[in-house]
C-alpha cells in the first residue's frame, strides 16, 4: 500500500512523496512522484528518474526543474531513493560511494548485501507495478533516465528491458562501470570478484547484446568540466559500443559544465522533449 506523506501544488499538477513497505527490498522505501495536470482526467506516460550517488528521492524534484516541462508534455515523473535505508548492515554508511545512497540499481548477490540491496528488481518490477496499478500512470508508455550512477542504472535497465521502457536518456552516466573505480568498488562488493558477472550491469557491454534497438535513439549529455570525466564516466566507450552495435546515439559534450544539478537544469528541457517524442507518439 502506498502512503502519501507529502504533497505540493506545482505547475498545475502535484508533487508528492510516497512511502511503502517493499517486499523486494525488505524495508520501507520512499519515492517522489510528479503528476501533471493532465493526470486529473486520464492516464499519462511515466518517466522514471534514477539519481546519483548520495542522493535521495527528493534530490531530483527539488533540484532539476523538470516539473515545468513535464506539465507541458503531460508526463509523470517518478524518482525512487538510491538505496535501501535502515538495514543496519555493518559498514553500510562508511563510504559515500558504496552502501547507503549507492545502490547502483543492481541486485546484489554477495552477503550481507544480497538481502536488501536489490534496487534493480525494485525499480523494474515492484515500483513500476505499484505506480501503474495505484496511480494514473500508463504502464504501456514508460521511459527512464538518470544521472551519474543513475544514468548507469537507466541505460542498463533500458537495454535489458526494451519491452518495459520505450525511451532512455542519461546525464553524465557511469557508462562503462566495469572499467572505472566506482564500478569496480561497487561490483566487487555487491557481486563478488567474477568480472564476467559484472558485465550484466555495464551499458557498454549490454548495448551489443540488446534484443531490440531504441530506434528513436539514446540521448546522453556530458559536461566537459566534469571532474569525474577523466577516470569514472567513459562516455567514449559507450559511444564506440553504440556505433559498433548500430544503436542510434546522440552524445552531446558541453564546454564548461560540471557534474552537478546546474548542468542537469540546463538541459532537462531537451530530455523531457526527447522522451515526449517517443511516449506521446
Amino acid at each position: 500500500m502506498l502512503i502519501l506523506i507529502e504533497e505540493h501544488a506545482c505547475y498545475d499538477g502535484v508533487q508528492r512523496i510516497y512511502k511503502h513497505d517493499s517486499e523486494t527490498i525488505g524495508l520501507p522505501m520512499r519515492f517522489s512522484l510528479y503528476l501533471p495536470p493532465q493526470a486529473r482526467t486520464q492516464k499519462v506516460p511515466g518517466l522514471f528518474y534514477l539519481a546519483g550517488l548520495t542522493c535521495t528521492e527528493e534530490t531530483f524534484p527539488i533540484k532539476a526543474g523538470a516539473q515545468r516541462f513535464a506539465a507541458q508534455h503531460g508526463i509523470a515523473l517518478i524518482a525512487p531513493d538510491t538505496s535501501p535505508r535502515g538495514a543496519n548492515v555493518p559498514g553500510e554508511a562508511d563510504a559515500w560511494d558504496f552502501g547507503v545512497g549507492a545502490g547502483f540499481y543492481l541486485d546484489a548477490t554477495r552477503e550481507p548485501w544480497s538481502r536488501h540491496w536489490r534496487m534493480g528488481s525494485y525499480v523494474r518490477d515492484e515500483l513500476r507495478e505499484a505506480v501503474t496499478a495505484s496511480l494514473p500512470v500508463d504502464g504501456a508508455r514508460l521511459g527512464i533516465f538518470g544521472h551519474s550512477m543513475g544514468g548507469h542504472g537507466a541505460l542498463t535497465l533500458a537495454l535489458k528491458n526494451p519491452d518495459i521502457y520505450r525511451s532512455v536518456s542519461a546525464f553524465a552516466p557511469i557508462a562503462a562501470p566495469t572499467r572505472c573505480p566506482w564500478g569496480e568498488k561497487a561490483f566487487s562488493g555487491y557481486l563478488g570478484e567474477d568480472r564476467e558477472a559484472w558485465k550484466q550491469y555495464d551499458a557498454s557491454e549490454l548495448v551489443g547484446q540488446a534484443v531490440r534497438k531504441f530506434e528513436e535513439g539514446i540521448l546522453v549529455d556530458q559536461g566537459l568540466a566534469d571532474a569525474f570525466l577523466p577516470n569514472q564516466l567513459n562516455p567514449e566507450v559507450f559511444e564506440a559500443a553504440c556505433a559498433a552495435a548500430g544503436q542510434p546515439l546522440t552524445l552531446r559534450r558541453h564546454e564548461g559544465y560540471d557534474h552537478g544539478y546546474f548542468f542537469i537544469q540546463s538541459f532537462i528541457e531537451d530530455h523531457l522533449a526527447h522522451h515526449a517524442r517517443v511516449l506521446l507518439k
Side-chain angles (χ1 to χ4, degrees):
M1 182 178 67
L2 301 183
I3 301 171
L4 178 63
I5 59 175
E6 194 172 313
E7 179 175 285
H8 309 278
C10 185
Y11 291 102
D12 288 329
V14 288
Q15 179 65 58
R16 296 172 177 169
I17 301 289
Y18 285 95
K19 68 177 179 180
H20 67 123
D21 291 328
S22 168
E23 292 184 7
T24 304
I25 302 295
L27 294 164
M29 292 293 291
R30 291 163 58 108
F31 66 92
S32 67
L33 171 77
Y34 176 70
L35 285 176
Q38 295 87 341
R40 295 194 198 104
T41 58
Q42 62 185 308
K43 284 198 169 189
V44 296
L47 182 55
F48 287 82
Y49 176 86
L50 307 183
L53 293 163
T54 75
C55 294
T56 73
E57 75 286 346
E58 293 185 301
T59 308
F60 174 72
I62 291 173
K63 291 187 174 183
Q67 294 94 333
R68 173 183 176 184
F69 307 109
Q72 290 173 3
H73 292 295
I75 294 176
L77 302 172
I78 307 102
D81 202 350
T82 52
S83 78
R85 297 180 191 269
N88 297 318
V89 173
E92 67 177 17
D94 287 355
W96 66 276
D97 55 357
F98 185 82
V100 173
F104 270 83
Y105 306 102
L106 52 75
D107 288 357
T109 56
R110 188 177 187 183
E111 292 290 347
W113 310 101
S114 57
R115 180 178 177 187
H116 299 295
W117 263 255
R118 298 178 51 80
M119 291 297 296
S121 290
Y122 171 71
V123 171
R124 183 194 65 212
D125 299 327
E126 186 177 15
L127 178 60
R128 172 178 60 89
E129 291 165 4
V131 167
T132 57
S134 303
L135 298 160
V137 176
D138 184 354
R141 293 185 293 164
L142 301 177
I144 192 167
F145 69 148
H147 170 231
S148 193
M149 175 185 72
H152 138 76
L155 292 173
T156 56
L157 282 166
L159 289 168
K160 290 197 286 188
N161 302 281
D163 55 326
I164 295 175
Y165 305 107
R166 292 174 52 183
S167 59
V168 59
S169 69
F171 293 94
I174 305 173
T178 60
R179 309 187 194 191
C180 76
W182 275 341
E184 290 176 342
K185 179 177 181 177
F187 290 179
S188 61
Y190 294 136
L191 303 174
E193 300 304 327
D194 180 5
R195 286 180 171 259
E196 284 300 310
W198 298 3
K199 292 180 180 180
Q200 65 181 303
Y201 296 112
D202 186 318
S204 295
E205 298 284 345
L206 290 170
V207 70
Q209 308 165 21
V211 297
R212 187 163 72 245
K213 293 180 175 60
F214 288 86
E215 298 294 346
E216 301 283 347
I218 297 172
L219 173 62
V220 173
D221 278 307
Q222 176 62 59
L224 293 180
D226 189 324
F228 302 114
L229 179 57
N231 65 349
Q232 298 283 16
L233 303 179
N234 294 308
E236 70 285 348
V237 176
F238 185 63
E239 184 176 40
C242 285
Q247 168 58 60
L249 170 71
T250 300
L251 172 56
R252 308 191 302 184
R253 295 171 169 91
H254 304 279
E255 292 284 352
Y257 286 90
D258 61 22
H259 197 69
Y261 270 81
F262 294 116
F263 162 58
I264 293 174
Q265 286 178 26
S266 300
F267 302 104
I268 192 69
E269 181 177 8
D270 294 347
H271 283 250
L272 267 292
H274 166 79
H275 290 277
R277 279 192 294 271
V278 180
L279 301 180
L280 299 175
K281 184 180 292 185

